[in-house]
Amino acid sequence: FQLERFSDRLHEGDVILVNHPQAGGTHLPDITIISPVFRDGRVIFFVASRGHHADIGGISPGSMPPTSRELFQEGASSMGMKIVDAGEFQESDVRRMLLEEPAQHPGCSGTRNYRDVLSDLKAQIAANHRGIALLGQLCAEYSLAVVQEYMAHIQRTAEAAVRALLKETRAKQGASQLVGYDFMDDGSKINLRIDIDEDGSALFDFAGTSPEVYANTNAPPSVTHSAIIYCLRCMVQSDLPLNQGCLAPVKVVIPEFSLLSPSPTAAVVGGNVLTSQRLCDVILATFGVAAASQGCMNNLTFGIPAIEENGVRYEGWGYYETIAGGHGGGRDWPRGQDGVHTNMTNTKITDPEILERRYPVLLHQFSLREGSGGSGMHPGGSGCIRDIEFLEAMSVSLLTERRAFPPPGLNGGGNGACGLNLWKRCRSGKTAQLLNIGGKNSVFVQPGDHIVIMTPGGGGYGRSE
């Protein structure tokens, strides 16, 4: 995409920034930095790094708004721009993209953490630079021809491993067609039919999936491809690096303007963190290897927007975290893991001491949610309970799933428990009021208020003996 976009305008020392869903992005906070690697005046490789940035503007701190309806409400976007042009960092363009352009939309702000985002972008550029240097060393030691040939070998090996998996699945299931489905909390359906040929190729057909929603759980096609390659790699038993060869035997069909292939202006911030999880649950259940995991990343953001008074800009701030839950029971393991990040997330949570030192909050509880995993021969893992008290007034947003439909068990296993989000409102002289704020909501808390997040458990696998 970027080669076509920039054509002959790419030069040594250039670095590209992109995050738009229509340009291979996932959701806007995930910014990809791409560095072309040149030799003798032509591009021989690309080095890329992708990072989730804590705030890139939009309608709420943390840039993970639960109520976004349009893409512009989720922050800054770019189909592709040179963040470095011939070795010169283009800070004026970056500032315009992150601060000025998002603020032009109604109700939106530019990034509330400009200095942090700028530093993180520079760190990504430095990581790419290091990657270019290492590639140069590799080519100097073995030659460019040998390095490129081994890259092709790795992809062919991955393709052969996936073909073997698909052939084995067809033989074990005694069928060439597998079907599965699941629902989002709003009732949207993800439907999947997998047709496996004798040569180990497969068609993943998502016909019957619900239309694009006027909300933010739409997922661009890149998310579906990521979920498929992840699940296939998890099921392959051999030790091989994740690479594009895993998808070589696979054809993917996604209905246009559906939940999994939305229009260019559709809101997508929840698609990458919620719909991606449901995709993994559907794919793994369709293959019959695992019950549903928590199906959610339990996205929590809080902070204060930037303000301007008398011509002086006061920086706001935003904090973002994802919270662990229960892993599904599976065919090949005794029980689902308790309190872990599952499938399409791998972030570490902030240490309690750091959280309380840097932000006006107190962490009262972070523990396993006993009994939340589904029953079965291989039980599902337990979710977590996280109780945070706020010491200052601020905006808090939750973007979560599995609050209406529980993570389903498989082959007779029990369902995991649904998640639950509570707001404990404390007012002077009054008894605390406990409110269920649903799966997707923004509230403005006062000092002494608590947000309590109970994450879903995993589904169980197989009937209990």
Side-chain angles (χ1 to χ4, degrees), residues 28-109:
L28 298 184
D30 286 348
I31 298 179
T32 305
I33 299 296
I34 305 169
S35 301
V37 183
F38 283 84
R39 172 172 283 198
D40 300 328
R42 65 185 184 92
V43 178
I44 57 170
F45 299 115
F46 284 96
V47 175
S49 57
R50 174 173 287 176
H52 183 103
H53 294 259
D55 194 302
I56 56 160
I59 58 175
S60 69
S63 302
M64 296 288 292
T67 57
S68 54
R69 301 289 182 266
E70 305 286 348
L71 187 67
F72 70 79
Q73 296 175 320
E74 298 175 351
S77 66
S78 173
M79 293 287 284
M81 58 172 275
K82 287 188 180 182
I83 188 173
V84 178
D85 191 353
E88 294 291 329
F89 187 72
Q90 306 297 301
E91 184 166 354
S92 59
D93 291 344
V94 175
R95 187 175 184 85
R96 180 167 57 253
M97 173 205 166
L98 290 173
L99 284 173
E100 298 171 14
E101 291 176 358
Q104 293 174 3
H105 298 288
C108 294
S109 162

Coordinates of all heavy atoms in Angstrom, one line a residue, residues 28-109:
L28 N -6.9 3.4 15.7 CA -6.0 4.6 15.5 C -4.9 4.7 16.5 O -3.8 5.1 16.2 CB -6.8 5.9 15.5 CG -7.9 6.0 14.4 CD1 -8.6 7.4 14.4 CD2 -7.2 5.8 13.0
P29 N -5.1 4.3 17.8 CA -4.0 4.4 18.8 C -2.7 3.5 18.4 O -1.6 3.8 18.8 CB -4.6 3.9 20.1 CG -6.0 4.2 20.0 CD -6.3 3.9 18.5
D30 N -3.0 2.5 17.5 CA -1.9 1.7 17.1 C -1.2 2.3 15.9 O -1.7 2.3 14.7 CB -2.4 0.3 16.7 CG -2.7 -0.6 17.8 OD1 -2.4 -0.2 19.0 OD2 -3.3 -1.7 17.6
I31 N -0.1 3.0 16.1 CA 0.6 3.7 15.1 C 1.8 2.8 14.6 O 2.6 2.4 15.4 CB 1.2 5.1 15.6 CG1 0.0 6.0 16.0 CG2 2.0 5.8 14.5 CD1 0.4 7.3 16.5
T32 N 1.9 2.6 13.3 CA 2.9 1.9 12.7 C 4.0 2.8 12.0 O 3.6 3.7 11.3 CB 2.4 0.9 11.6 OG1 1.3 0.1 12.2 CG2 3.5 0.0 11.0
I33 N 5.2 2.5 12.3 CA 6.4 3.2 11.8 C 7.1 2.3 10.8 O 7.5 1.2 11.2 CB 7.3 3.8 12.9 CG1 6.6 4.7 13.8 CG2 8.5 4.4 12.3 CD1 6.1 6.0 13.2
I34 N 7.2 2.7 9.6 CA 7.8 1.8 8.5 C 9.0 2.5 7.9 O 9.0 3.7 7.5 CB 6.8 1.6 7.4 CG1 5.5 1.0 7.9 CG2 7.4 0.7 6.3 CD1 4.3 1.0 6.9
S35 N 10.1 1.8 7.9 CA 11.4 2.3 7.4 C 11.8 1.4 6.2 O 12.1 0.2 6.4 CB 12.5 2.3 8.4 OG 12.1 3.1 9.6
P36 N 11.9 2.0 5.0 CA 12.4 1.2 3.9 C 14.0 1.0 4.0 O 14.7 1.9 4.5 CB 12.1 2.1 2.6 CG 12.0 3.5 3.2 CD 11.5 3.4 4.6
V37 N 14.4 -0.2 3.6 CA 15.8 -0.5 3.6 C 16.3 -0.5 2.2 O 15.8 -1.2 1.3 CB 16.1 -1.8 4.3 CG1 17.6 -2.1 4.3 CG2 15.5 -1.9 5.6
F38 N 17.3 0.4 1.9 CA 17.8 0.5 0.5 C 19.1 -0.2 0.3 O 20.0 -0.3 1.2 CB 18.0 2.0 0.2 CG 16.7 2.7 -0.1 CD1 15.9 3.2 0.9 CD2 16.2 2.9 -1.4 CE1 14.7 3.9 0.7 CE2 15.1 3.6 -1.7 CZ 14.3 4.1 -0.6
R39 N 19.3 -0.6 -0.9 CA 20.6 -1.1 -1.4 C 20.7 -0.8 -2.9 O 19.9 -1.2 -3.7 CB 20.9 -2.6 -1.1 CG 22.2 -3.1 -1.8 CD 22.5 -4.5 -1.4 NE 23.1 -4.5 0.0 CZ 23.8 -5.6 0.5 NH1 24.0 -6.6 -0.3 NH2 24.2 -5.5 1.7
D40 N 21.8 -0.1 -3.3 CA 22.0 0.3 -4.7 C 20.8 1.0 -5.2 O 20.4 0.8 -6.4 CB 22.3 -0.9 -5.5 CG 23.6 -1.6 -5.1 OD1 24.5 -0.9 -4.6 OD2 23.6 -2.9 -5.2
G41 N 20.2 1.9 -4.4 CA 19.1 2.8 -4.9 C 17.8 2.1 -5.0 O 16.8 2.7 -5.4
R42 N 17.6 0.9 -4.5 CA 16.3 0.2 -4.5 C 15.9 -0.4 -3.2 O 16.8 -0.7 -2.4 CB 16.2 -0.9 -5.6 CG 17.1 -2.0 -5.3 CD 17.1 -3.1 -6.5 NE 18.0 -4.2 -6.2 CZ 17.5 -5.3 -5.6 NH1 16.2 -5.4 -5.3 NH2 18.3 -6.4 -5.4
V43 N 14.6 -0.5 -2.9 CA 14.2 -1.0 -1.6 C 14.3 -2.5 -1.6 O 13.8 -3.2 -2.5 CB 12.7 -0.6 -1.4 CG1 12.2 -1.2 -0.1 CG2 12.5 0.9 -1.3
I44 N 15.0 -3.0 -0.7 CA 15.2 -4.5 -0.6 C 14.4 -5.1 0.6 O 14.1 -6.3 0.6 CB 16.7 -4.9 -0.5 CG1 17.4 -4.2 0.7 CG2 17.4 -4.5 -1.8 CD1 18.8 -4.7 1.0
F45 N 14.1 -4.3 1.6 CA 13.4 -4.8 2.8 C 12.6 -3.6 3.3 O 12.8 -2.4 3.0 CB 14.3 -5.3 3.9 CG 15.1 -6.4 3.6 CD1 16.5 -6.3 3.6 CD2 14.6 -7.7 3.3 CE1 17.3 -7.4 3.3 CE2 15.4 -8.8 3.0 CZ 16.8 -8.6 3.0
F46 N 11.6 -3.9 4.2 CA 11.0 -2.9 5.0 C 11.2 -3.4 6.5 O 11.0 -4.5 6.8 CB 9.5 -2.7 4.7 CG 9.2 -2.0 3.5 CD1 9.0 -2.6 2.3 CD2 9.2 -0.6 3.5 CE1 8.7 -1.9 1.1 CE2 8.9 0.2 2.4 CZ 8.7 -0.5 1.2
V47 N 11.5 -2.4 7.4 CA 11.5 -2.7 8.8 C 10.3 -1.9 9.4 O 10.2 -0.7 9.1 CB 12.8 -2.3 9.4 CG1 12.8 -2.4 11.0 CG2 14.0 -3.1 8.9
A48 N 9.5 -2.5 10.3 CA 8.4 -1.8 10.8 C 8.2 -2.1 12.3 O 8.6 -3.2 12.8 CB 7.1 -2.2 10.1
S49 N 7.7 -1.2 13.0 CA 7.3 -1.4 14.4 C 5.9 -0.7 14.7 O 5.7 0.3 14.1 CB 8.4 -0.7 15.4 OG 8.5 0.6 15.1
R50 N 5.1 -1.4 15.5 CA 3.8 -0.9 15.8 C 3.7 -0.7 17.3 O 4.0 -1.6 18.0 CB 2.7 -1.8 15.2 CG 1.3 -1.4 15.6 CD 0.3 -2.3 14.9 NE 0.2 -1.9 13.5 CZ -0.6 -2.5 12.6 NH1 -1.3 -3.6 13.0 NH2 -0.7 -2.1 11.4
G51 N 3.1 0.4 17.7 CA 2.9 0.6 19.2 C 1.6 1.2 19.5 O 1.1 2.1 18.7
H52 N 1.0 0.8 20.6 CA -0.2 1.5 21.0 C 0.1 2.7 21.8 O 0.8 2.6 22.8 CB -1.1 0.5 21.9 CG -2.4 1.1 22.3 ND1 -3.6 0.7 21.7 CD2 -2.7 2.0 23.2 CE1 -4.6 1.4 22.2 NE2 -4.0 2.2 23.2
H53 N -0.4 3.8 21.4 CA -0.1 5.1 22.1 C -1.2 5.5 23.0 O -2.4 5.4 22.7 CB 0.2 6.2 21.1 CG 1.4 5.9 20.3 ND1 2.6 6.5 20.5 CD2 1.7 5.0 19.3 CE1 3.6 6.1 19.7 NE2 3.0 5.2 18.9
A54 N -0.9 6.0 24.2 CA -1.8 6.2 25.3 C -2.9 7.2 25.0 O -4.0 7.1 25.5 CB -1.1 6.6 26.6
D55 N -2.6 8.2 24.1 CA -3.6 9.2 23.8 C -3.2 9.9 22.5 O -2.2 10.5 22.4 CB -3.7 10.2 24.9 CG -5.0 11.1 24.8 OD1 -5.1 11.8 23.7 OD2 -5.8 11.1 25.7
I56 N -4.1 9.8 21.5 CA -3.9 10.5 20.2 C -5.0 11.4 19.9 O -5.2 11.8 18.7 CB -3.7 9.5 19.1 CG1 -4.9 8.5 19.0 CG2 -2.4 8.7 19.3 CD1 -5.0 7.9 17.6
G57 N -5.7 11.9 20.9 CA -6.8 12.8 20.7 C -8.2 12.1 20.6 O -8.3 11.0 21.0
G58 N -9.2 12.9 20.1 CA -10.5 12.4 20.0 C -11.4 12.9 21.1 O -11.1 13.9 21.8
I59 N -12.5 12.2 21.4 CA -13.5 12.7 22.3 C -13.3 12.4 23.7 O -14.0 12.9 24.6 CB -15.0 12.3 21.9 CG1 -15.0 10.7 21.9 CG2 -15.3 12.8 20.5 CD1 -16.4 10.2 21.6
S60 N -12.3 11.5 24.0 CA -12.1 11.2 25.4 C -10.7 10.9 25.7 O -9.9 10.4 24.8 CB -13.0 10.0 25.8 OG -12.5 8.8 25.2
P61 N -10.2 11.2 27.0 CA -8.8 10.8 27.3 C -8.6 9.3 27.1 O -9.4 8.5 27.4 CB -8.8 11.2 28.8 CG -9.8 12.3 29.0 CD -11.0 11.8 28.1
G62 N -7.4 9.0 26.6 CA -7.0 7.7 26.4 C -7.3 7.2 25.0 O -6.9 6.1 24.6
S63 N -8.1 8.0 24.2 CA -8.4 7.7 22.8 C -9.0 6.3 22.7 O -8.8 5.6 21.6 CB -7.2 7.8 22.0 OG -6.7 9.1 22.1
M64 N -9.8 5.8 23.7 CA -10.5 4.5 23.6 C -12.0 4.8 24.0 O -12.5 4.2 24.9 CB -9.9 3.5 24.5 CG -8.5 3.1 24.1 SD -8.4 2.1 22.6 CE -9.2 0.6 23.2
P65 N -12.7 5.7 23.3 CA -14.0 6.1 23.7 C -15.0 5.0 23.5 O -15.1 4.4 22.5 CB -14.3 7.3 22.8 CG -13.5 7.1 21.5 CD -12.2 6.4 22.0
P66 N -15.8 4.7 24.5 CA -16.8 3.7 24.4 C -18.0 4.1 23.6 O -18.8 3.2 23.2 CB -17.3 3.4 25.9 CG -17.0 4.7 26.6 CD -15.8 5.3 25.9
T67 N -18.2 5.4 23.3 CA -19.4 5.9 22.6 C -19.1 6.5 21.2 O -19.9 7.1 20.7 CB -20.1 7.0 23.5 OG1 -19.1 8.1 23.7 CG2 -20.5 6.4 24.8
S68 N -17.9 6.2 20.7 CA -17.6 6.8 19.3 C -18.5 6.2 18.3 O -18.8 5.0 18.3 CB -16.1 6.6 19.0 OG -15.7 5.2 19.1
R69 N -18.9 7.0 17.3 CA -19.7 6.5 16.2 C -19.0 6.8 14.8 O -19.4 6.1 13.9 CB -21.0 7.3 16.2 CG -21.9 7.1 17.5 CD -22.5 5.7 17.5 NE -23.3 5.5 18.7 CZ -22.9 5.0 19.9 NH1 -21.6 4.7 20.0 NH2 -23.7 4.9 20.9
E70 N -18.1 7.7 14.8 CA -17.3 8.0 13.6 C -15.8 7.9 13.9 O -15.4 8.1 15.0 CB -17.7 9.4 13.1 CG -19.2 9.7 12.9 CD -19.7 9.0 11.7 OE1 -18.9 8.5 10.8 OE2 -20.9 9.0 11.5
L71 N -15.1 7.6 12.8 CA -13.6 7.4 13.0 C -12.9 8.7 13.6 O -12.1 8.6 14.4 CB -13.0 7.1 11.7 CG -11.5 6.6 11.7 CD1 -11.3 5.3 12.5 CD2 -10.9 6.5 10.3
F72 N -13.4 9.9 13.2 CA -12.7 11.1 13.6 C -12.8 11.3 15.1 O -12.0 12.0 15.8 CB -13.2 12.3 12.9 CG -14.6 12.7 13.2 CD1 -14.9 13.5 14.4 CD2 -15.7 12.4 12.4 CE1 -16.2 13.9 14.7 CE2 -17.0 12.8 12.7 CZ -17.2 13.5 13.9
Q73 N -13.8 10.7 15.8 CA -14.0 10.8 17.2 C -12.9 10.0 18.0 O -12.8 10.2 19.2 CB -15.4 10.3 17.6 CG -16.5 11.2 17.0 CD -17.9 10.6 17.4 OE1 -18.1 9.4 17.3 NE2 -18.8 11.5 17.7
E74 N -12.1 9.2 17.3 CA -11.2 8.3 18.0 C -9.8 8.8 17.9 O -8.8 8.2 18.4 CB -11.3 6.9 17.4 CG -12.7 6.3 17.6 CD -12.9 5.0 16.9 OE1 -12.1 4.6 16.1 OE2 -13.9 4.4 17.2
G75 N -9.6 10.0 17.3 CA -8.3 10.7 17.3 C -7.6 10.9 16.0 O -8.3 10.8 14.9
A76 N -6.3 11.1 16.0 CA -5.5 11.5 14.8 C -5.4 10.3 13.9 O -5.3 9.1 14.4 CB -4.2 12.0 15.2
S77 N -5.4 10.5 12.6 CA -5.3 9.4 11.6 C -4.5 9.9 10.5 O -4.4 11.0 10.1 CB -6.7 9.0 11.1 OG -7.3 10.0 10.4
S78 N -3.8 8.9 9.9 CA -3.0 9.1 8.7 C -3.0 7.9 7.8 O -2.7 6.8 8.3 CB -1.5 9.5 9.1 OG -0.7 9.6 7.9
M79 N -3.2 8.1 6.5 CA -3.1 7.0 5.5 C -1.6 6.7 5.2 O -1.3 5.7 4.6 CB -3.9 7.4 4.2 CG -5.3 7.5 4.4 SD -6.2 5.9 4.6 CE -6.1 5.3 2.9
G80 N -0.8 7.6 5.6 CA 0.7 7.5 5.3 C 1.3 8.8 5.1 O 0.9 9.6 4.2
M81 N 2.3 9.2 6.0 CA 3.0 10.4 5.9 C 4.4 10.2 6.3 O 4.8 9.2 7.0 CB 2.4 11.5 6.8 CG 2.4 11.1 8.3 SD 1.9 12.4 9.4 CE 3.5 13.2 9.7
K82 N 5.3 11.0 5.7 CA 6.7 10.9 6.0 C 7.0 11.6 7.4 O 6.9 12.8 7.4 CB 7.6 11.5 4.9 CG 7.7 10.6 3.7 CD 8.7 11.2 2.7 CE 8.8 10.4 1.4 NZ 9.8 10.9 0.5
I83 N 7.3 10.8 8.4 CA 7.6 11.4 9.7 C 9.1 11.8 9.7 O 9.5 12.7 10.4 CB 7.3 10.4 10.8 CG1 7.4 11.1 12.2 CG2 8.1 9.2 10.8 CD1 7.0 10.3 13.4
V84 N 9.9 11.1 8.9 CA 11.2 11.5 8.6 C 11.4 11.6 7.1 O 11.1 10.6 6.4 CB 12.2 10.5 9.2 CG1 13.7 10.9 8.9 CG2 12.1 10.4 10.7
D85 N 11.9 12.7 6.6 CA 12.1 12.9 5.2 C 13.6 13.1 4.9 O 14.2 14.1 5.3 CB 11.3 14.1 4.7 CG 11.3 14.2 3.2 OD1 12.0 13.4 2.5 OD2 10.5 15.1 2.7
A86 N 14.2 12.1 4.3 CA 15.6 12.1 3.9 C 16.5 12.4 5.2 O 17.4 13.2 5.1 CB 15.9 13.2 2.9
G87 N 16.1 11.8 6.3 CA 16.9 12.0 7.5 C 16.4 13.1 8.4 O 17.0 13.2 9.5
E88 N 15.5 13.9 8.0 CA 15.0 15.1 8.8 C 13.7 14.8 9.4 O 12.7 14.5 8.7 CB 14.9 16.3 7.9 CG 16.2 16.8 7.3 CD 17.1 17.4 8.4 OE1 16.6 18.0 9.4 OE2 18.4 17.3 8.3
F89 N 13.6 14.9 10.8 CA 12.4 14.6 11.5 C 11.4 15.8 11.2 O 11.7 16.9 11.4 CB 12.7 14.5 13.0 CG 11.5 14.1 13.8 CD1 11.0 12.8 13.7 CD2 10.8 15.0 14.6 CE1 9.9 12.4 14.5 CE2 9.7 14.6 15.4 CZ 9.3 13.3 15.3
Q90 N 10.2 15.4 10.8 CA 9.2 16.4 10.4 C 8.2 16.7 11.6 O 7.1 16.4 11.6 CB 8.4 15.9 9.2 CG 9.3 15.5 8.0 CD 10.0 16.7 7.4 OE1 9.4 17.7 7.0 NE2 11.4 16.6 7.4
E91 N 8.8 17.4 12.6 CA 8.0 17.7 13.8 C 6.7 18.5 13.5 O 5.7 18.4 14.1 CB 8.8 18.2 14.9 CG 8.0 18.4 16.2 CD 8.8 18.6 17.5 OE1 10.0 18.6 17.4 OE2 8.1 18.8 18.5
S92 N 6.9 19.5 12.6 CA 5.7 20.4 12.3 C 4.6 19.6 11.8 O 3.4 19.8 12.1 CB 6.1 21.5 11.4 OG 6.6 20.9 10.1
D93 N 4.9 18.6 10.9 CA 3.8 17.7 10.4 C 3.2 16.8 11.4 O 2.0 16.6 11.5 CB 4.4 16.9 9.2 CG 4.7 17.7 8.0 OD1 4.3 18.8 7.9 OD2 5.5 17.2 7.1
V94 N 4.1 16.3 12.3 CA 3.6 15.5 13.4 C 2.7 16.3 14.4 O 1.6 15.8 14.8 CB 4.8 14.9 14.2 CG1 4.3 14.1 15.4 CG2 5.6 14.0 13.3
R95 N 3.1 17.5 14.7 CA 2.3 18.3 15.6 C 1.0 18.6 14.9 O -0.1 18.6 15.6 CB 3.1 19.6 15.8 CG 2.4 20.5 16.9 CD 3.3 21.7 17.2 NE 2.6 22.5 18.3 CZ 2.8 22.2 19.6 NH1 3.6 21.2 20.0 NH2 2.2 22.9 20.5
R96 N 1.0 18.9 13.6 CA -0.3 19.2 13.0 C -1.2 17.9 13.0 O -2.4 18.1 13.3 CB -0.1 19.6 11.5 CG -1.3 19.9 10.7 CD -1.1 20.6 9.4 NE -0.2 19.8 8.6 CZ 1.1 20.1 8.3 NH1 1.6 21.2 8.9 NH2 1.9 19.4 7.5
M97 N -0.6 16.8 12.8 CA -1.4 15.6 12.8 C -2.0 15.2 14.2 O -3.2 14.9 14.3 CB -0.6 14.4 12.3 CG -1.3 13.0 12.4 SD -0.1 11.7 12.5 CE -1.2 10.3 13.0
L98 N -1.2 15.4 15.2 CA -1.6 14.9 16.5 C -2.3 16.0 17.3 O -3.2 15.6 18.1 CB -0.3 14.5 17.3 CG 0.4 13.3 16.9 CD1 1.7 13.1 17.7 CD2 -0.5 12.0 17.1
L99 N -2.1 17.2 17.1 CA -2.7 18.3 17.9 C -3.7 19.1 17.2 O -4.8 19.3 17.7 CB -1.6 19.2 18.4 CG -0.8 18.7 19.6 CD1 0.4 19.7 19.9 CD2 -1.6 18.5 20.9
E100 N -3.4 19.5 16.0 CA -4.3 20.5 15.3 C -5.5 19.8 14.5 O -6.6 20.2 14.7 CB -3.4 21.3 14.3 CG -2.4 22.1 15.0 CD -1.4 22.8 14.0 OE1 -1.7 22.8 12.8 OE2 -0.4 23.3 14.4
E101 N -5.2 18.8 13.7 CA -6.2 18.2 12.9 C -7.3 17.5 13.8 O -8.5 17.7 13.5 CB -5.6 17.2 11.9 CG -4.8 17.9 10.9 CD -4.1 16.9 9.9 OE1 -4.3 15.7 10.1 OE2 -3.4 17.3 9.0
P102 N -7.0 16.7 14.8 CA -8.1 16.2 15.6 C -9.0 17.2 16.3 O -10.2 17.0 16.4 CB -7.4 15.3 16.6 CG -6.0 15.0 16.1 CD -5.7 16.2 15.3
A103 N -8.4 18.3 16.7 CA -9.2 19.4 17.4 C -10.1 20.1 16.5 O -11.0 20.9 17.0 CB -8.2 20.3 18.1
Q104 N -10.0 19.9 15.2 CA -10.9 20.6 14.3 C -12.3 20.0 14.2 O -13.3 20.6 13.8 CB -10.4 20.6 12.9 CG -9.1 21.5 12.7 CD -8.5 21.3 11.3 OE1 -9.0 20.6 10.5 NE2 -7.3 22.0 11.1
H105 N -12.5 18.8 14.8 CA -13.8 18.1 14.7 C -14.5 18.4 16.0 O -14.0 18.6 17.1 CB -13.5 16.6 14.6 CG -12.8 16.1 13.4 ND1 -13.4 16.2 12.2 CD2 -11.6 15.7 13.2 CE1 -12.6 15.7 11.3 NE2 -11.5 15.4 11.9
P106 N -15.9 18.5 15.9 CA -16.7 18.9 17.0 C -16.5 17.9 18.2 O -16.6 16.7 18.0 CB -18.1 18.8 16.5 CG -18.0 18.0 15.2 CD -16.7 18.2 14.7
G107 N -16.3 18.5 19.4 CA -16.2 17.7 20.6 C -14.9 17.0 20.8 O -14.7 16.2 21.7
C108 N -13.9 17.2 19.9 CA -12.7 16.5 19.9 C -11.5 17.3 20.3 O -11.5 18.6 20.2 CB -12.4 15.9 18.5 SG -13.6 14.6 18.0
S109 N -10.5 16.7 20.8 CA -9.3 17.3 21.2 C -8.1 16.7 20.5 O -8.2 15.5 20.0 CB -9.1 17.2 22.8 OG -7.8 17.4 23.2

